[in-house]
Each structure stands twice: as structure tokens, then as C-alpha cells.
Amino acid sequence: MTGTSWPGESRVPEEAARSGSGDSRPPARSPEEARASTGPTGNRLTVLSGPSGVGKSTVVAELRRAHPEVWLSVSVTTRKPRPGETHGVEYFFADGDEFDRLIACGELLEWAEFAGNRYGTPRTPVLEKLAAGVPTLLEIDLQGARQVRATMPEALLVFLAPPSWEELEKRLRGRGTEPEDVIARRLAAGRVEMAAEQEFDMTLVNTSVQDVCHRLIALMADAPEASRPGRSPS
Ligand code: 5GP
């Protein structure tokens, strides 16, 4: 994140050392997380997850456009920007050393390695938004969703599923932004993610971006009822 000031810094290195995919121990739950996973107005943290290529970022882009009242966490990644991606908008792009520093300083709520790159959620902005009662959404992978489940059990975990496996493969290849070996790694990760659907509170099938957004907003607005398990084609 060279050249970008960081919004708030917590410093809990011993806690951070237990986070992330490189360690099987559950991440520690700080008092702030315990308090913040349900905000004062009843807004809960919502996590959107699902296999790479399913369309999470398209859904998030549509949410940004149509529902500016929802705050979307901007993750940090060591992945290189794709054409059209802007530092601070889709991601904060960081090098490996910077990412190490964020872990060591306890600045990541969760983090994971995915298809050869690392991704993490900045902790402080999420806790601040929840404390202020702002509906807050994380778009993260399965490993990250599991960490959030462990540290903030009240969070609503939503799984975005493709209409079919063939469709997922088609979308991933059709993006045309990754070489074949990266696509293969993402498909392998996708199989693992698809097998974990039952760990989530709710599944939305991505047949239409607008419908998924509509249902997601309804779930976030009505989180307690929405957390009943179920599968819902959009
Ligand atoms: P992409 O490289 O396609 O933008 O993202 C690859 C994967 O990383 C996606 O499944 C996306 O949801 C996930 N991801 C993005 N940000 C985060 C994050 O902050 N934490 C975790 N655990 N996964 C993330």
C-alpha cells in the first residue's frame, strides 16, 4: 500500500499471529469484535463468499452503485492490479513486506492466501462502521469467512453459488485476465469452496446480479430472520 495512509491502526501482534490461513488455530476474538459484530442499530456484519468467478465483485459493484448506504470493506491484497482496478477502490494493493507488517501489527480482521496471493480485511474500519450502525459487507473467500465465523459468530454468512459448475468455469475463463495455471488454481479452490456451502447461513444462486443485490439488501436489512438456513435461487 505504498503511498497510502492507513485508516486507523490497532496493534495486537500476539493476536494477529494466530490469524490467517497459515495457522490452524482459530483467530482470537477481541473485545471490540465481540461488541462490534452487532451494531447499535441491529446491523450485523454480513459476509459474501463463494467460488472465484461466481460474480461476487460484479454483485459488489452493483451494490456500490445502487446502495451507497451499505459500506463495503476494501481489502488489502498482494495480487497485482487487473486492468481498470484502482488502488483504494477495489483493493489496497500491497507488497509482501507491507502485508507481513499488517499481520504483525494486528491490523487485519482476517486474512488468507488464495491462488498464490494474500488477501486481508483491514480491522479498524470494519469495527468503526459497525459501531456507528452502518450496514457492513465483506466480500472474502471461504478461509476468511471461517475466520469471521470464529471471531464474530453473529455475522451473517452468505454463499453466492453459480447456476452450475459449467457456468462457473465459463465465467472464470471468459474473464480473460488470468493465465491458464491461475485459472486451474482458482477452479481447484472453487471445488473446495462449493463443498463448504452448508457452512453458510444462506445461499443465493447468481442467476441475475440485480436479483442477488436485491436479496442481499433484504437479508442485511432483516438480518435476524434472514439468518435461518436456506437456499434461494435469485
Ligand atoms: P480476486 O483476485 O479475484 O479479486 O479475489 C480472489 C479471492 O479472494 C476471491 O474469492 C475474493 O472473495 C477473495 N478475497 C478478496 N478480498 C479478501 C479478503 O480480504 N480476505 C479474504 N479471506 N479473501 C478475500
Side-chain angles (χ1 to χ4, degrees):
M1 282 176 316
T2 322
T4 300
S5 63
W6 196 247
E9 301 207 342
S10 61
R11 311 234 166 233
V12 196
E14 65 283 0
E15 180 181 306
R18 283 187 269 155
S19 300
S21 57
D23 190 323
S24 59
R25 285 173 293 176
R29 175 181 164 92
S30 71
E32 290 78 13
E33 283 156 8
R35 276 197 301 277
S37 49
T38 306
T41 58
N43 286 315
R44 283 195 295 175
L45 179 63
T46 304
V47 171
L48 181 67
S49 205
S52 177
V54 72
K56 286 172 299 195
S57 48
T58 313
V59 167
V60 164
E62 174 61 13
L63 270 176
R64 262 188 227 283
R65 190 194 65 76
H67 293 278
E69 74 277 13
V70 173
W71 183 75
L72 299 157
S73 168
V74 179
S75 298
V76 188
T77 183
T78 58
R79 169 168 77 61
K80 296 279 170 277
R82 291 185 186 129
E85 287 184 333
T86 306
H87 182 77
V89 178
E90 289 83 6
Y91 286 105
F92 293 105
F93 297 98
D95 62 21
D97 289 346
E98 177 80 350
F99 203 95
D100 286 343
R101 190 191 71 76
L102 292 171
I103 295 170
C105 292
E107 287 182 29
L108 299 181
L109 186 66
E110 60 73 36
W111 68 272
E113 186 164 337
F114 182 91
N117 294 300
R118 287 185 290 170
Y119 300 79
T121 303
R123 179 194 300 271
T124 305
V126 171
L127 299 184
E128 285 176 353
K129 293 292 175 187
L130 286 169
V134 177
T136 297
L137 182 70
L138 309 184
E139 186 255 281
I140 59 178
D141 85 328
L142 171 64
Q143 305 165 73
R146 284 176 173 157
Q147 291 171 51
V148 172
R149 174 67 95 208
T151 54
M152 301 167 96
E154 301 84 356
L156 176 68
L157 266 54
V158 179
F159 188 81
L160 190 62
S164 67
W165 178 260
E166 290 69 32
E167 183 63 26
L168 182 72
E169 199 164 343
K170 203 172 95 189
R171 288 184 193 180
L172 206 46
R173 290 186 192 285
R175 219 154 55 180
T177 49
E178 270 94 19
E180 186 56 37
D181 62 319
V182 174
I183 291 174
R185 290 169 87 171
R186 284 175 180 252
L187 284 170
R191 284 183 208 284
V192 174
E193 302 229 0
M194 289 295 287
E197 182 189 330
Q198 295 304 321
E199 295 178 33
F200 288 76
D201 297 311
M202 174 68 69
T203 293
L204 299 177
V205 181
N206 192 8
T207 47
S208 143
V209 172
Q210 274 75 23
D211 287 351
V212 167
C213 281
H214 181 75
R215 294 193 58 86
L216 199 53
I217 288 297
L219 287 168
M220 293 183 78
D222 192 21
E225 282 80 35
S227 68
R228 283 194 218 110
R231 194 172 215 273
S232 162
S234 303

